[in-house]
Amino acid sequence: MGGPRRLAAAALVTAGAVTFAAGGVAGPAQARTAPASQQTASQQTAPHTTLKLGAKGAEVKALQTRLTELGYVPGKIDGRYGGTTMMAVWAFQKVQGIKPTSTVASRTWAALENPKAPKVLVPKGRPNRVEVNLTQQIMVLYRDGEPKVISHASSGSGIPYVEYATWNGKRQRFSGSATTPTGDYRTTWRVSGWHRSYLGQLYNPIFFNGGIALHGALSVPLHPASHGCVRLPMPVAEILPGLLGAGVPVHVRGRFHR
């Protein structure tokens, strides 16, 4: 790819690389000032080459650092472009209006220099809340009115299911619509670690609508695929319980269009 764009006061261009400045996040309707915690210039560098899944090195570490700085969760900042970093890239691309892909090319690098904030679904919502955007398949945790965690998600597939599982000592039949209902809810009970339900394993589930939870999963594809829960990448599920208490509003909006 060609060299990254030069954006006024957004990046410092050096030989062969760009040093990002971690501010200037644009809001959903107009530009806004980034949180003070993000206004310190970062010493990350963007490469002049395209990054693909499986890449390694300083360029990947720069990508991971920048994503973390902006509230995305790529997992360990280890310079290895694996699946968890890819899902953070997906989340970032979706928020920026870029078709999600594992490839980090010129458009994604440009957006990293001058990123947009996620679309606010509940403008008058509480400062501490969760918003689940079913249209974009994005989960955003707000703390003190600012997006603290922005994550790729996979909600209910919308495909009715009939499954059989051994539950309470006997084989039983389970069926449902596999939908994640829209509405306004609050976080309720939770489980630490793996929780076995009759429809599968949930990691660090935080329930908010009956048996529907935010939870980690080993498979979080680009399309809705769950029985109704909101699946999250494992690194997100690791940190979410420490940031999300009981009784916190959870707002679910939108509809995914296949």
Side-chain angles (χ1 to χ4, degrees), residues 10 20-25 38 40-42 44-45 60-72 74 77 92 109-115:
F20 292 120
V25 179
Q38 293 187 5
T40 302
S42 158
Q44 302 164 63
T45 55
V60 177
K61 191 171 183 180
L63 170 68
Q64 293 169 328
T65 303
R66 180 59 169 165
L67 289 168
T68 301
E69 189 173 57
L70 295 174
Y72 299 86
I77 300 176
F92 177 76
W109 285 120
L112 284 162
E113 295 169 20
N114 190 24

Side-chain angles (χ1 to χ4, degrees), residues 8-195:
L12 302 175
V13 181
T14 61
V18 170
T19 300
F20 292 120
V25 179
Q30 59 184 4
R32 65 171 185 166
T33 303
S37 61
Q38 293 187 5
Q39 291 179 6
T40 302
S42 158
Q43 295 304 310
Q44 302 164 63
T45 55
H48 281 221
T49 56
T50 298
L51 291 181
K52 295 186 177 182
L53 191 65
K56 300 177 183 179
E59 296 88 352
V60 177
K61 191 171 183 180
L63 170 68
Q64 293 169 328
T65 303
R66 180 59 169 165
L67 289 168
T68 301
E69 189 173 57
L70 295 174
Y72 299 86
V73 186
K76 293 181 180 179
I77 300 176
D78 58 4
R80 296 174 180 270
Y81 190 0
T84 56
T85 296
M86 178 182 68
M87 285 187 278
V89 168
W90 285 351
F92 177 76
Q93 289 170 331
K94 287 189 284 186
V95 169
Q96 308 308 308
I98 301 170
K99 184 177 180 179
T101 173
S102 61
T103 301
V104 179
S106 57
R107 193 176 175 194
T108 300
W109 285 120
L112 284 162
E113 295 169 20
N114 190 24
K116 299 176 184 177
K119 177 182 178 181
V120 177
L121 303 182
V122 184
K124 296 183 179 180
R126 291 184 177 273
N128 296 339
R129 68 186 187 279
V130 171
E131 294 186 354
V132 178
N133 186 327
L134 298 180
T135 305
Q136 289 189 313
Q137 296 289 285
I138 288 289
M139 186 280 302
V140 182
L141 168 65
Y142 287 87
R143 292 290 298 269
D144 299 323
E146 297 290 346
K148 179 74 173 178
V149 176
I150 309 166
S151 176
H152 164 64
S154 178
S155 61
S157 68
I159 302 171
Y161 64 88
V162 176
E163 296 188 16
Y164 293 86
T166 300
W167 191 249
N168 294 330
K170 62 180 181 179
R171 185 171 174 77
Q172 300 184 47
R173 178 181 184 274
F174 299 96
S175 62
S177 61
T179 58
T180 304
T182 57
D184 302 309
Y185 310 98
R186 288 184 180 272
T187 56
T188 55
W189 63 291
R190 67 187 61 206
V191 177
S192 295
W194 286 104
H195 171 63

